[in-house]
Amino acid sequence: MRRRSVLKAGIGATVVGALGAPKAGAAGDGKKVLRYAFPIAESGFDPAQVVDLYSRVVTSHIFEALYTYDHLARPFKIKPNTAAAMPEVSADFRTWTVRIQPGIYFDDDPAFGGTRRELHADDYVYSLKRFFDPRWKSPAFATLSELKILGMDALRSAALKEKKPFQYDVPVEGLRALDRYTLQFRLAEPQPRLLQVIAGDDLYGAVAREVVEHYGDEIMAHPVGTGPFRLVEWRRSSRMVFERNPGYRTRTYDAEPNADDAEGQAMALRFRGRRLPMIDRVEISVIEEAQPRWLSFLNKQQDLQERLPNEFINVAAPNGVLAPSLAKQGVQLFRVPASDVTITVFNMEDPVVGGYAPEKIALRRAIGLGLNVPKEIRLARKGQAVPAHSGFAPMTYGYQPGRHTENGDYDLARAKALLDTYGYVDRDGDGWRETPDGKPLSLAWATEPTQANRQLDELRRADMNALGLRVEFRPAKWPENMKNARSGKLMLWSIGLSSAAPDGQPTFDGGASIHMGGQNLARFRDDRFDRLYARMQVMPDGPERLALFDEALKIMLAYKPYKYHVHRIHTDLAHAWLHGYRRPPYWNTWWQYVDIDAAAQAQATA
């Protein structure tokens, strides 16, 4: 599961950047404008507070982390971003020293009082401390806490115990600016994969203290970073506009594709040396329903159809081949397996589906076995997915393509037998099963009010009916469902999780008690699992770590806090005037690497 001067952006409100009112920015005015749509609304643009993918897409382009991923290398290559070089690392992986490039500046903002503000090492110290500040209730707090940065947990504990503001000015041993351009991490335990954690621009980009203190609780509406773009207009859940950051430092296209990657080599040859970003403006609409999103692309109101809705797959790309009618228009097809997994969350604290007693485990196992995933793939997803046998996403460390587990089975007879054996039977003859103690049994399943979700809901309703389980689907907007899930207020919820890093351990964030209130949406708790999780965190990659992965997976599959459904296949379409597009596997940063033929765009949309 990754985003984005004192006006709070409400419905219809517009946030204007420091340079004044946003320009029209319509295609055809000579500017290179990228236009596309999000299917789900953003939540805001403060790295310390966001959790959803679409907000993190935005923050990836405004803020900059010390390190980033090479745009073309596959599966991944981490390289310096604002850092001057790769880090100096101690042999025990406990001390990491990073030198930052001088001459990098934040975008202009009133918070700086008219002074051009240079990035320095203290900005990363402050930005990372914010995740520990209880004020922000950061969903990513647990991820940084488990790095065991010396002194940070004690600083947070003091704020909680004393109920006083977090003390940012108190120095900690594990996170220090040695000088203006040198940052050092000191860790209580080895962290061999630290770079994979801090290489995300979306969460771990530098935020200036002056900006946070200037805007306070309104910081979600005022992203100010050192990145290639800046926000100039925001109508919450409707429209976002970004323009090239005029003060962005000189950076050129230097991506390094694999030697056997013909497509990547062609991109590198075409764009190498071009100054970034190559476009002037990005306009994003929020269009939750699939049909109007698809029609806006066909009508050339959008340049990119990201994640083509499944209901239009057979129209646009039957059998994975671009339809001739679209090919004639020069439309480009991009079809890649996603590094993701879709899941159903069981709230382990819920009195109906939660708990660790054998009959509760049997109920969750039966629901999982009774969900007809092959039918879901065939009818709802139009073949654009493969069954998931674990929570490991493709292209992450620990994923095994040939792995088979009960999680991937659809077995209605076994599901019914489990329910019968553990006392979930129809006692009053009304066709619906009751609980083992004879009480009515009804499932409350959270969902979103979109056509795609309605289709999935109807399939799942039929699956539950076949088991004799009554179910009620309760629609709400995605951000509301996420908020309620994190606070333990939902019984069941089905969502998709996208990988944010190459390592497979985040698969187990959903079971680690340290991530309760964050990625552990099921609120699962098991001491043995937590011990395994802690051990794999500090261990180098290799057979011993993979053995721990297997042991932890067995616990997850046995208790069933999640049903893993599918790994999706993403199909993106782009009009002929968009050049250089390539979907990243884990990261969200790509706007600066694409180009727009503004003349061709204007002619097509005239």
Side-chain angles (χ1 to χ4, degrees), residues 283-341:
E283 299 177 355
I284 299 175
S285 305
V286 177
I287 307 176
E288 295 182 340
E289 288 293 348
Q291 185 176 38
R293 199 164 66 249
W294 170 234
L295 290 177
S296 70
F297 176 77
L298 290 181
N299 292 333
K300 300 179 176 62
Q301 296 167 317
Q302 309 290 343
D303 308 306
L304 174 70
Q305 174 71 75
E306 190 192 29
R307 303 183 192 220
L308 177 68
N310 291 323
E311 51 264 53
F312 303 113
I313 287 290
N314 291 333
V315 175
N319 300 315
V321 179
L322 187 66
S325 59
L326 295 176
K328 288 179 181 177
Q329 300 176 49
V331 170
Q332 306 166 75
L333 171 70
F334 307 91
R335 189 170 184 267
V336 297
S339 186
D340 75 359
V341 62

Side-chain angles (χ1 to χ4, degrees), residues 524-598:
F524 177 75
R525 186 185 294 275
D526 180 80
D527 290 343
R528 181 182 167 208
F529 183 91
D530 283 345
R531 289 193 295 271
L532 290 170
Y533 184 88
R535 287 174 59 196
M536 65 178 72
Q537 178 73 23
V538 301
M539 189 177 294
D541 290 345
E544 187 177 355
R545 188 166 187 251
L546 289 176
L548 295 183
F549 278 18
D550 288 343
E551 193 173 349
L553 178 61
K554 289 176 183 177
I555 294 174
M556 295 287 280
L557 295 177
Y559 282 105
K560 203 72 173 183
Y562 303 96
K563 161 66 177 179
Y564 306 114
H565 288 253
V566 303
H567 306 299
R568 291 172 290 192
I569 297 170
H570 287 326
T571 298
D572 304 325
L573 300 176
H575 284 296
W577 51 83
L578 174 61
H579 303 296
Y581 175 74
R582 174 176 267 198
R583 172 178 286 282
Y586 318 113
W587 57 99
N588 300 309
T589 311
W590 60 269
W591 296 350
Q592 62 263 48
Y593 300 108
V594 299
D595 195 13
I596 291 283
D597 183 336

